[in-house]
Amino acid sequence: MARKPVLGIITNDQHQVFQRNVIAGASDIAVRYGYSVQIDSYAEDPDHPSPITLDCAALSGVLVIADAAPLDLLRSMYESGTPLSLVSHLVPELPIPSVIADNVQGMSELVKHIVERCHRRKLVYIRGVPTQRDSSEREAAFFREMLRYNISVPDIHFLRGDFSASVAAQSVQAMIDNGADFDGVIAADYVMGITVVETLRRNGRAVPGDVSVVGFGDAPEAETAGLTTVAADVVEQGRRAARQLISQQQGTRITGVTVLSVRLMIRETCGCSALPLKV
Amino acid sequence: MVRSRDDKATHGQLRRHNRELMLRAVYNGVADNRAALAQETGLAKPTVSELIGELIDDGLLVEEGHGPSTEGGGKRPRLLKFVPTARHIIGISLSEERVFGALSVLDGRIVAQHYVDLSEAPDDTIVVNALLDVINGLMAQLDAPLLCIGIGTPGIVDSRTGIVSYIADWGWRDVPLAQLIRVNFNVPVYVASRTELAAMGQYVFGAVNGADSLATVLVGRGVGVGLVINSAPYHGGGDIGHLRMAARADTNTVEEDRLEIFLGWQVVKQRIYALRRAYPGSILPGENDPLSYLHLRYAAANGDRAALALQDELSRYLAQVFAWIIGLLRPDHISLAGPIANFGQPLLDQAVQYTQHFVLPDLVQRVTFSLTEAESSLLVAVGAVAQGLRRELGMV
């Protein structure tokens, strides 16, 4: 019996919510098209990453989640002709196609919501990791929306978050301790958004009564916390990437970026669900 | 009886026309069963049944449930429903900076987008390769058969033949773009000017309050006007950046009087820098900082004199364009689109005010105006989808 062709997936931690859902979507398409899937989750302990163990030359194609594969590995796979697709990542040096969520649309929806519906204008922005593409795109989009709504955000209202709950919590705590005046927080991801809500409440600030909080991206944890977000369908992102990969494996040349729309998930932390719709 | 080729063509055209009538009636909710379709279209019931059978076989309609019986207690009719996911359409926007594509189902809902950014001065090979890559990227995401591909391009286009006559920046002359793409993907391909498609997209999917005739003024690097007249796209629209401004038409300095010299973004940028120097203390960004129409909007909203001066200048030039359109065509609606729309409502309001200096105020007041802040690439791609729906299924 002929051996099934294999698609490889390189990720940093297959058990995280985002990665798990991307893998589920990619596997769904792979199975539908007669492929099996091998996963290399190479850095489950970020302090002790193990080397990538996949035999890339034996694979029909490789899907890479975020920046899990170093540039030199990507380059060698690309130069050897291995079909590649990236999820939530771009490598300007190489024409490898990718699938990303629409950061610009998502940030635009969050700002529009918190300003137009929740009537918040004294805003704080919790930043991600400045070197990551998602982070820089979201921050640039936030800045553009501030211009659109004629809102001036002082530099001290741009807080370090690093896509880390603990870093975001420290930044917000320091801001509260300094007596800063703000009524809305937009976090570059939902994990930081959740921790901001907790920190504010611990300090006696009512969410959403005193401060509205929203965050980018969505997961069950965000739903449990009642956080208003914009949701990218991450399973669909995995499906799209697998289709892109299989198409290349069948001989189609693809470069560029497939973009997935996001949708606003209105929950409790923005406080507008109790407000009448603006007509 | 032996029929001539012309007879056959006429019969085929009639059949296609009747199919489109059926589909349009169900799509628009005018009729939802065979008897109602026969009544609505005036076609014989057997003809309706045969055509509906074809549309069901093609997956474009499904039978779903039963309607109420007639007053006489007759048999309850099987209800017909349009299936928007039965086919996909690809809409493409070609611009100087990016090839952008949208994959849509038949009700205009976009299910995937794909883009390839172009280098600073791309040659024709780079553009065509990027176009093929974008289509490939969207083809990889198909869930249903592809109905057609629509493409919006800058420059001068013959939309009947799909030949791009001229795009200066890419050195294109008489490029048979539709044919080139058709042989690669084996589906119908329609090519039109970007502005024509932007207008079509707004007419079909935009909020234009039931206007029968509308003009979309697209201002970015250049200036273009797209038209829908009496519910049909007008194929002669396109770039108008080469037109000379009336106020300076006596100077004989053709190059310096072209509209795009006043409204094209590269020139507007230089004007911003000049105004910034003329008004010390302006909050507009300097020459080494990012600059966009949103910066102008913000500065003008905060009373910045340089930004307000530019708002005044731009609104006068736009008024000239609006006046040409109103004077010639009397549209129901004019939409300002492209990056300039990010300057915001005050720019449009002022332009409308100035328009009344150029044409009778009564004529201006009969026109409604709007800003379209959506990305122009998306607007054009959506228009290309609308054009595909019109050309292939006669649905819009």
Side-chain angles (χ1 to χ4, degrees):
Chain A
M1 198 173 92
R3 198 163 154 259
K4 270 188 181 179
V6 181
L7 294 185
I9 299 178
I10 297 175
T11 180
N12 58 352
D13 183 350
Q14 62 180 314
H15 302 299
Q16 291 285 336
V17 176
F18 175 78
Q19 289 87 333
R20 197 172 65 225
N21 284 328
V22 171
I23 292 167
S27 302
D28 174 32
I29 293 295
V31 169
R32 202 184 299 175
Y33 285 84
Y35 291 80
S36 62
V37 173
Q38 275 185 19
I39 299 166
D40 196 332
S41 180
Y42 84 100
E44 297 194 6
D45 178 354
D47 294 329
H48 303 93
S50 58
I52 289 169
T53 54
L54 284 177
D55 178 7
C56 296
L59 300 170
S60 298
V62 177
L63 188 153
V64 180
I65 300 177
D67 53 357
L71 180 60
D72 53 356
L73 175 66
L74 286 174
R75 192 187 301 280
S76 80
M77 286 193 289
Y78 175 75
E79 287 172 355
S80 69
T82 305
L84 292 166
S85 279
L86 308 176
V87 176
S88 280
H89 193 50
L90 287 179
V91 181
E93 298 89 342
L94 297 169
I96 301 172
S98 60
V99 180
I100 61 171
D102 196 333
N103 288 315
V104 175
Q105 179 221 345
M107 189 52 71
S108 166
E109 299 235 3
L110 282 179
V111 172
K112 182 177 182 184
H113 185 74
I114 203 167
V115 174
E116 290 190 6
R117 284 288 305 279
C118 310
H119 307 292
R120 304 299 195 183
R121 292 183 67 87
K122 289 185 266 184
L123 301 182
V124 167
Y125 185 77
I126 316 284
R127 312 168 81 169
V129 177
T131 53
Q132 283 190 11
R133 184 183 172 93
D134 278 345
S135 179
S136 58
E137 278 192 356
R138 288 171 198 172
E139 191 166 328
F142 173 78
F143 186 72
R144 280 196 296 273
E145 293 309 308
M146 293 302 96
L147 294 173
R148 190 184 308 282
Y149 286 102
N150 189 22
I151 295 174
S152 174
V153 181
D155 288 347
I156 55 164
H157 282 206
F158 284 86
L159 303 187
R160 186 178 166 196
D162 293 357
F163 288 141
S164 153
S166 58
V167 174
Q170 279 173 25
S171 297
V172 172
Q173 185 63 55
M175 190 161 201
I176 294 168
D177 293 344
N178 289 332
D181 182 21
F182 59 97
D183 61 11
V185 178
I186 295 179
D189 80 357
Y190 71 88
V191 175
M192 297 192 295
I194 293 169
T195 207
V196 167
V197 172
E198 292 165 353
T199 308
L200 287 166
R201 286 177 175 159
R202 221 173 24 246
N203 283 271
R205 299 279 186 103
V207 178
D210 298 330
V211 183
S212 295
V213 181
V214 298
F216 200 106
D218 201 43
E221 296 96 312
E223 189 175 3
T224 305
L227 184 72
T228 292
T229 64
V230 282
D233 187 337
V234 179
V235 175
E236 190 59 24
Q237 214 172 334
R239 287 197 191 105
R240 301 283 183 195
R243 285 167 182 259
Q244 202 178 69
L245 200 52
I246 290 167
S247 191
Q248 291 180 82
Q249 202 270 326
Q250 292 169 344
T252 304
R253 189 194 65 201
I254 301 175
T255 63
V257 182
T258 294
V259 182
L260 286 184
S261 299
V262 296
R263 68 181 191 284
L264 189 65
M265 308 296 290
I266 301 172
R267 301 197 181 101
E268 293 83 40
T269 58
C270 59
C272 70
S273 50
L275 297 172
L277 276 171
K278 194 176 164 188
V279 179
Chain B
M1 188 176 79
V2 178
R3 287 181 174 171
S4 73
R5 287 174 63 86
D6 285 350
D7 284 339
K8 279 185 186 171
T10 305
H11 177 72
Q13 284 168 352
L14 185 62
R15 190 171 184 82
R16 182 183 165 118
H17 172 75
N18 288 339
R19 254 176 72 104
E20 289 175 356
L21 272 180
M22 303 284 128
L23 204 55
R24 197 160 54 232
V26 178
Y27 176 71
N28 291 330
V30 174
D32 63 0
N33 63 75
R34 289 171 177 80
L37 281 165
Q39 194 172 12
E40 178 66 26
T41 60
L43 294 171
K45 283 184 181 173
T47 307
V48 169
S49 285
E50 192 184 331
L51 291 171
I52 292 300
E54 263 185 38
L55 289 166
I56 290 172
D57 289 346
D58 287 348
L60 291 164
L61 295 180
V62 286
E63 290 182 312
E64 200 174 88
H66 292 84
S69 59
T70 57
E71 282 179 11
K75 196 177 162 189
R76 294 172 64 197
R78 293 297 305 270
L79 295 179
L80 297 163
K81 196 175 163 194
F82 177 67
V83 184
T85 52
R87 299 284 188 282
H88 279 311
I89 296 179
I90 289 176
I92 302 279
S93 158
L94 291 182
S95 70
E96 289 81 359
E97 302 89 10
R98 174 175 282 190
V99 180
F100 172 87
L103 182 67
S104 168
V105 291
L106 298 178
D107 58 6
R109 191 164 41 89
I110 291 173
V111 293
Q113 302 167 41
H114 192 98
Y115 69 82
V116 171
D117 283 330
L118 297 173
S119 51
E120 193 58 42
D123 61 26
D124 54 346
T125 310
I126 289 174
V127 176
V128 170
N129 282 340
L131 173 58
L132 295 172
D133 284 4
V134 168
I135 297 173
N136 282 336
L138 293 170
M139 296 282 283
Q141 308 298 342
L142 288 178
D143 282 318
L146 184 64
L147 184 68
C148 62
I149 297 170
I151 302 171
T153 81
I156 300 169
V157 188
D158 183 339
S159 56
R160 288 164 307 164
T161 60
I163 292 173
V164 180
S165 309
Y166 182 57
I167 300 178
D169 287 351
W170 300 337
W172 283 18
R173 278 194 184 278
D174 299 325
V175 175
L177 187 61
Q179 186 193 352
L180 199 154
I181 300 302
R182 195 180 304 122
V183 296
N184 274 275
F185 297 100
N186 202 27
V187 291
V189 177
Y190 302 108
V191 178
S193 88
R194 282 170 52 77
T195 45
E196 176 185 326
L197 293 182
M200 191 65 189
Q202 287 201 294
Y203 175 72
V204 175
F205 299 119
V208 288
N209 300 325
D212 282 333
S213 299
L214 69 88
T216 298
V217 178
L218 200 62
V219 183
R221 280 172 60 135
V223 186
V225 176
L227 302 166
V228 171
I229 299 175
N230 296 330
S231 305
Y234 176 68
H235 298 308
D239 294 345
I240 60 161
H242 57 281
L243 292 182
R244 295 178 65 187
M245 295 294 292
R248 299 179 58 176
D250 59 341
T251 62
N252 291 325
T253 51
V254 173
E255 279 301 306
E256 290 180 4
D257 291 348
R258 285 181 293 123
L259 188 57
E260 65 190 14
I261 291 295
F262 300 96
L263 281 171
W265 173 239
Q266 292 306 327
V267 181
V268 170
K269 256 167 82 173
Q270 295 309 314
R271 186 73 188 124
I272 291 169
Y273 299 142
L275 283 166
R276 195 170 172 275
R277 287 191 291 274
Y279 292 97
S282 168
I283 61 171
L284 286 168
E287 296 193 24
N288 297 320
D289 298 319
L291 178 62
S292 70
Y293 279 108
L294 282 172
H295 291 92
L296 282 166
R297 176 189 190 131
Y298 178 81
N302 286 282
D304 184 272
R305 289 196 300 150
L308 289 169
L310 190 61
Q311 179 180 305
D312 187 69
E313 287 179 18
L314 295 178
S315 60
R316 288 172 191 271
Y317 304 139
L318 287 171
Q320 176 77 76
V321 178
F322 292 169
W324 287 335
I325 296 167
I326 294 169
L328 283 169
L329 299 168
R330 313 275 199 278
D332 302 316
H333 188 86
I334 294 179
S335 173
L336 180 61
I340 201 171
N342 281 323
F343 206 137
Q345 195 65 37
L347 175 73
L348 179 64
D349 291 344
Q350 205 168 345
V352 173
Q353 284 293 320
Y354 282 131
T355 305
Q356 302 188 40
H357 297 177
F358 294 115
V359 285
L360 290 172
D362 275 2
L363 293 180
V364 179
Q365 284 157 17
R366 285 179 206 163
V367 181
T368 56
F369 293 84
S370 66
L371 277 182
T372 302
E373 293 186 44
E375 282 283 328
S376 39
S377 289
L378 181 61
L379 193 60
V380 171
V382 165
V385 167
Q387 187 197 45
L389 278 172
R390 183 182 185 88
R391 299 281 287 264
E392 279 299 300
L393 298 177
M395 279 175 38
V396 294

